Amino acid sequence: MKSPKHSPFVLRPLLLLSAIAAAAALAACGGSDDAIPEGTTVELALLATSDLHQNALSYNYYALAADTSLGLERTATLVKAARAENPNNILLDNGDTIQGTLLGDYQAQAKPIGCASTLAIHRVMNSIGFDGGGLGNHEFNYGLPFLSQVLNTDLGVAGVSKPAGDCGAPKFPVVASNVLNAATNAPILKPYTLLAKAVSAKTPAGATLSLPLNIGVMGFVPPQIVDWDAKYLAGKVYVAGAVETAQKLVPELRAKGADVVVALSHGGLDASPYSPKMENQSFHLAKVAGIDALLTGHSHLIFPAPRETGAPALDASLAALPKADVDAVKGFVNGVPTVMPQSWGRRLGLIKLTLAYQGGKWVVQKDKTQVEARGFKYSDGKTVVDGDAGVAGLIASEHQEAIAFAKQPLGVATDFQMSAYFALVGDVSAIQIVNQAQIAYVKNFLANTSDPTLQSYRSIPVLSCSAPFKAGRNGASDFTDVAPGASAAAPVALQVRNPGDLYLYGNNNIQAVKIKGADLKAWLETSAKQFGQIDPAKTTPQDLVPSYSTIYNFDVFYAEGNALSYQVDVTKPVGARIVNLQYLGQPVGDAADFIVATNDYRAGGGGAFPGIDGSKTIIKSPDANQSVVAEYLKKQAQLSKAANGAGRSWSFVKTATAGPVQLRSAPGKLALAQALGLASVTAEGAPDANGYAVYSIDLSK
């Protein structure tokens, strides 16, 4: 929807007409708001999606296979059911919408859509009838000009122009409350919107009234966007603190007639002391007076705890939140109803508000408000809902174009399978090739630079780190798996889709940092936080990896010739787990110099690794890590397990445990673990409520 630049709020035309009609109906019943009987109630359902990441269909473009565990086409079915149950409703999206699948990259980079076209995900959202939305951090991955085009909005940023005419865009207002123009301090989008909704209400006497309700919507993104996408945003925008911004905007919304205020917070729940620079600000945002409901995201988790039969347990990171402030069963954070609907369209958030008219205003009745993160099996705990039959046809051509693009040959074959099913117990088959590509790039950069300072670094060892980005974070089907069945006798030709499977984030650019041995050890200690602390004497089952929510922070290091080695002692507390850190067979001293090839997210401070905050960056490349991997692959005659997939740099300190230690991964992969020589993976158990198989891990092997 096209709207005036920096307009403080927008009333969608159809909703405005319905509100006018509702007001007329109210007048027929006795007049204005003053005539609403004290104690009249309204039940309003806030429906929410978050972190859709261009998963419009139930399809995995990297595996070229259907995936019934995800997709907005199935969320649409949940939306229909929720609307039928709750006639008074609005549907909102919490950002990270336009990027995340090969379809998204195809439409933004491989074959960028023109102004006259609408992104596939937006076309589907328009058909479903979203009422409003916010931005996430990944909305900025393709740059401000692209964002301006696909939102059909002049962002008011110097050097950023929207194509002339009306571009294809969401048919609902998109807000960004805390993203401001660095030159003018003006919001680059509407900081909030006011949605007028005609609702049905009940008087204390049991009569039904039709009346207007105004819902104010704000939206917040993590401040780190200016670091993560500095190549696009530096000097152009800045991000204000969520709490401070909300404290300013809530009174404005109330003054403009908002009966209910909803915050779209693209951040998770972090109960540590507040800072305007917090990545996951939602816990503190819930403390702002006047916010009636909170829609959260970014962490790809489920909140509150899912309700369906056989539902998975609450993620460990959420279960650890202070119970005095967070009710993870009822779905309240600091007294505010709060929902996080996972990611990729796998759940629909529902906040069923009961509002009572008291003292001339609508007041949330918290004891009658219900919160739910509804999954595809919500009805009986077993049956996955079907996709909405009308969705697939809307984007059939884009879908087929993306598949054809994915199948294009890359020009190299591999004699081994590259997977991340057991990356958390040492398999590097899908990680080593990424690290090799990054090392080759940085060494070539240093060899050809004319910068005297960089030339002086040529004798410093170059390491690389990369995380198994697809290792179960988003479900039991979310694992890198390139060239299954490949062998020396039958190499498999790679395709364009495979580098994206090996390195998920196409927006990351390669960078290099110069660090000391002490920094390296601290870096590894932070990566090792992924593991739970194992008690060798405990006889009950223990999870080796309690939460997969931060798998992208599990950096695995590598040096050419496997010159780097280290061990992880999971019986020790966080910060004291890395032992036997060696380079070329010698202990790494605190003062030793290293250069590490990584990405701009990590080099700029992403993940809060001690000392890695942008100050140690020596190379800022314009080339994407994913492209660097693709180009490296193309230059190889053929990939082999010995040369490209067996360079394991780390292992666990051997530990005998009295009880079982468990690892969750995709079902049916025990034979693969054995073929990889992972002796610690000893057995495969039954799947858990999330569909992961539970594998037995013997840490003494």
Side-chain angles (χ1 to χ4, degrees), residues 101-115:
T101 64
L102 191 145
L103 172 61
D105 290 343
Y106 178 74
Q107 290 199 299
Q109 296 174 325
K111 187 180 179 182
I113 65 169
C115 172

Side-chain angles (χ1 to χ4, degrees), residues 430-439 442 462-469 502-503 508-513 515 520 523-524 527 552-559 564 566 595-603 606 609 612 625 629 649:
I431 301 174
Q432 183 181 353
I433 193 71
V434 173
N435 279 326
Q436 288 177 321
Q438 293 180 169
I439 287 175
V442 169
V462 178
L463 313 177
S464 176
C465 69
S466 184
F469 300 122
L502 291 166
Y503 197 101
N508 283 164
N509 278 21
I510 190 167
Q511 293 193 356
V513 296
I515 65 171
L520 175 59
W523 195 327
L524 293 171
S527 293
Y552 52 85
N553 283 335
F554 181 62
D555 285 346
V556 176
F557 276 72
Y558 172 80
L564 182 75
Y566 56 99
I595 291 171
V596 180
T598 182
N599 56 57
D600 47 2
Y601 170 80
R602 182 71 75 242
F609 284 65
I612 312 303
N625 296 70
V629 172
S649 58

Side-chain angles (χ1 to χ4, degrees), residues 141-210:
N141 290 169
Y142 301 129
L144 292 175
F146 184 78
L147 183 63
S148 176
Q149 175 189 318
V150 300
L151 293 182
N152 191 37
T153 303
D154 181 359
L155 303 179
V157 176
V160 177
S161 59
K162 186 188 78 66
D166 283 328
C167 297
K171 294 180 179 178
F172 51 86
V174 177
V175 299
S177 302
N178 63 334
V179 184
L180 308 175
N181 186 314
T184 67
N185 297 321
I188 66 168
L189 290 176
K190 300 176 295 291
Y192 52 76
T193 188
L194 198 62
L195 304 175
K197 185 74 176 180
V199 298
S200 176
K202 287 284 187 182
T203 70
T208 299
L209 291 180
S210 180

Side-chain angles (χ1 to χ4, degrees), residues 28 147 168 194 278 296 347 428 465 505 516 524 547 586 652 675:
L147 183 63
L194 198 62
M278 290 186 80
T296 68
R347 286 185 181 266
V428 296
C465 69
Y505 299 109
K516 295 292 185 179
L524 293 171
S547 172
Q586 298 298 315
F652 292 114

Side-chain angles (χ1 to χ4, degrees), residues 203-564:
T203 70
T208 299
L209 291 180
S210 180
L211 48 82
L213 195 71
N214 295 322
I215 300 108
V217 180
M218 307 177 292
F220 303 90
V221 304
Q224 287 76 14
I225 65 166
V226 295
D227 299 320
W228 299 338
D229 279 309
K231 55 185 173 289
Y232 299 132
L233 305 181
K236 297 182 182 297
V237 305
Y238 70 96
V239 180
V243 168
E244 296 85 347
T245 303
Q247 289 171 336
K248 174 186 174 183
L249 296 184
V250 170
E252 289 186 24
L253 272 167
R254 294 294 185 184
K256 292 180 183 297
D259 298 305
V260 177
V261 174
V262 180
L264 304 179
S265 176
H266 196 83
L269 296 167
D270 181 353
S272 60
Y274 176 71
S275 163
K277 295 297 184 182
M278 290 186 80
E279 178 179 347
N280 295 297
Q281 69 278 24
S282 301
F283 177 87
H284 296 281
L285 197 55
K287 297 178 182 179
V288 175
I291 292 179
D292 295 308
L294 185 60
L295 310 181
T296 68
H298 186 56
S299 298
H300 293 204
L301 298 176
I302 307 170
F303 185 87
R307 296 180 177 181
E308 63 266 23
T309 303
L314 195 71
D315 185 83
S317 63
L318 297 179
L321 291 168
K323 291 179 173 53
D325 305 310
V326 178
D327 187 333
V329 176
K330 293 183 178 179
F332 282 78
V333 175
N334 291 313
V336 175
T338 301
V339 74
M340 186 186 298
Q342 210 169 11
S343 60
W344 297 8
R346 292 178 291 165
R347 286 185 181 266
L348 177 69
L350 288 89
I351 298 180
K352 301 179 183 179
L353 295 173
T354 295
L355 307 170
Y357 196 69
Q358 298 172 341
K361 61 181 181 180
W362 293 100
V363 180
V364 175
Q365 307 301 294
K366 295 179 182 179
D367 60 331
K368 297 180 180 178
T369 290
Q370 300 177 11
V371 186
E372 180 182 357
R374 179 175 291 184
F376 293 167
K377 299 180 181 180
Y378 77 99
S379 59
D380 60 9
K382 298 177 181 179
T383 308
V384 175
V385 297
D386 292 329
D388 186 304
V391 170
L394 292 172
I395 57 170
S397 60
E398 293 93 330
H399 176 58
Q400 291 303 321
E401 287 176 14
I403 290 175
F405 173 69
K407 290 180 176 179
Q408 292 179 10
L410 197 63
V412 64
T414 177
D415 73 4
F416 70 103
Q417 180 176 355
M418 293 170 271
S419 71
Y421 298 114
F422 298 101
L424 275 298
V425 289
D427 177 33
V428 296
S429 60
I431 301 174
Q432 183 181 353
I433 193 71
V434 173
N435 279 326
Q436 288 177 321
Q438 293 180 169
I439 287 175
Y441 183 95
V442 169
K443 291 186 72 172
N444 182 67
F445 192 104
L446 292 173
N448 292 284
T449 184
S450 59
D451 184 303
T453 301
L454 291 178
Q455 289 176 349
S456 71
Y457 296 156
R458 288 173 178 168
S459 62
I460 298 176
V462 178
L463 313 177
S464 176
C465 69
S466 184
F469 300 122
K470 295 180 62 184
R473 183 188 183 207
N474 291 291
S477 63
D478 180 35
F479 288 88
T480 294
D481 193 353
V482 174
S487 66
V492 172
L494 299 184
Q495 298 178 334
V496 165
R497 63 190 168 100
N498 297 136
D501 206 0
L502 291 166
Y503 197 101
L504 179 62
Y505 299 109
N507 57 294
N508 283 164
N509 278 21
I510 190 167
Q511 293 193 356
V513 296
K514 181 176 176 291
I515 65 171
K516 295 292 185 179
D519 299 315
L520 175 59
K521 188 172 188 299
W523 195 327
L524 293 171
E525 289 285 7
T526 304
S527 293
K529 289 169 64 175
Q530 193 70 42
F531 301 110
Q533 185 174 358
I534 301 300
D535 181 353
K538 194 172 183 179
T539 57
T540 54
Q542 299 180 76
D543 282 325
L544 181 63
V545 183
S547 172
Y548 284 74
S549 62
T550 55
I551 196 73
Y552 52 85
N553 283 335
F554 181 62
D555 285 346
V556 176
F557 276 72
Y558 172 80
E560 286 181 318
N562 227 31
L564 182 75

